[in-house]
Amino acid sequence: MQMLDVIIKKRDGGVLTKEEIEFVVKGYTDGSIPDYQMSAFLMAVYFRGMTDEEATTLALAMENSGDVMDLSRIKGFKVDKHSTGGVGDKTSIVLAPLVASLGIEFAKMSGRGLGHTGGTLDKLEAIPGYNIQISPEDFINQVQKIHIALVGQSGNLTPADKKMYALRDVTGTVDSIPLIAASIMSKKLAAGADGICLDVKVGSGAFMKTLEDARHLATLMVNIGKMCDRKMTAILTNMDEPLGFAVGNSLEVIEAINTLKGKGPKDLRDLCLYIGSRLVVDAGLTDSLEEAEKMLVENIENGLALQKLAELVEAQGGNADYVYHPELFRDADEIIPVYAKTKGYIKRIDSYHVGRASMLLGAGREKLTDEIDPIVGIVLNKKVGDYVDENTILGYIHSNGKNTNEAIEMFANSFEYSDEKVDVKLILDVIR
Ligand code: URA
């Protein structure tokens, strides 16, 4: 088989066979297919798309390009969750201990942030000592012992995705539905959980800008997972404003801790309870979503969910005092209020620009090798639907002196206003 023939077939709108897709993935992973041919192939897929069968075959070929986690030693139902990338999205840091506090096995490998989106690993590393790199063996032992592990990718999981994602990033081929679906699902399948909840973000700060595209992506991923006997749920959530109030690493950890104490922002709490209830039902603890939510709320109120976060932090080498005393997190050198430039109801807060502003301050990275500052970021004071005038503080910039003015300007300009009150809906759809 020749790569050139496969490229031409896709370029001309053909449907690839299983053998052709496996040939491409294997050849690119072992280096026999060069970057320039893979780039042409990815661009052909970007423009021509793939059938759902092709995307599924691609996901499976990518899953099997390296090691696959065998979680069978962990008794009980193993759950995992994935977000397609948002701004202010600290859901995993709340959800994982919350669900694990009910004895459900939460075995999650997370990623780093890139560009305007944050990553769970960077947030967790804001807790002094927290180690994200543990061996597959320790990962399994930890879940067996305390029902939870939140780590970086260990072992040689999905090497095809690593290489393809890096190439897509520099060839303008990231936002292709079949490529995103195959990339995410190859990693989730290889990570080995029985039940997976996908949070597909929709809006300005997300890969999917329209509900229609998000539905297509979510349905494709759910179908891929179901074919592999995983219990799948995808929820479509609004990213037309950041989630919660805090954007930035330690700031988001503090907000996650507050949410586990029952004092978090409503949107974040609602989302965690919603996803959590689905996972509790999938794990078979109850068949009623209402009952599942009650169990989760109880563990927030009795402190068990917070205690589980402390156990997690301690198990991974972090200082658990920070969980019980978040005031231990250092403040940035300057905390600067940003005022509204006009009056009206907030209609939209462009998450992309809030994420970029936070990144400029040093909370995120442009390239994977950039260093991040765990302390800096933005804390919103107002959200969509709130009325503001020129005396209203929209939010606070937490800066250590890097790009402060540019970040202030970008943050202030990310707000859009209307004369009438706008309602927000966080959960836009659910696909099972
Ligand atoms: N997240 C991923 O893991 N892969 C993509 O292709 C896009 C978002």
Side-chain angles (χ1 to χ4, degrees), residues 82 84 165 168 174 179-180 183-184 187 207:
H82 183 85
T84 57
Y165 195 86
R168 284 165 61 210
V174 169
L179 294 180
I180 295 176
S183 163
I184 292 176
K187 286 180 288 224
F207 284 119

Side-chain angles (χ1 to χ4, degrees), residues 241-247 255 349 354 378-384 393-396 398 411 414-415:
E241 66 176 341
L243 187 63
F245 290 93
V247 181
E255 187 163 83
I349 307 173
V354 178
I378 295 170
V379 178
L380 298 170
N381 190 44
K382 295 288 166 189
K383 299 262 288 183
V384 171
I393 296 174
L394 296 176
Y396 297 88
H398 291 235
F411 174 63
S414 61
F415 284 72

Side-chain angles (χ1 to χ4, degrees), residues 1 81 87 110 132 138-139 149 165 199 241 316:
M1 200 180 295
K81 168 261 167 193
V87 176
S110 293
I132 55 118
D138 289 346
F139 175 72
Y165 195 86
D199 180 2
E241 66 176 341
Q316 291 189 217

Side-chain angles (χ1 to χ4, degrees), residues 169-233:
D169 205 25
V170 292
T171 54
T173 52
V174 169
D175 42 359
S176 145
I177 290 177
L179 294 180
I180 295 176
S183 163
I184 292 176
M185 286 311 296
S186 65
K187 286 180 288 224
K188 291 293 109 183
L189 294 173
D194 306 310
I196 302 167
C197 186
L198 303 166
D199 180 2
V200 178
K201 304 285 184 195
V202 192
S204 71
F207 284 119
M208 297 295 109
K209 310 287 179 226
T210 68
L211 198 52
E212 195 191 341
D213 280 351
R215 258 195 207 113
H216 181 184
L217 174 65
T219 308
L220 182 53
M221 293 194 291
V222 165
N223 287 340
I224 293 172
K226 278 166 53 177
M227 268 193 42
C228 300
D229 291 329
R230 313 299 167 101
K231 277 199 182 163
M232 298 293 303
T233 305

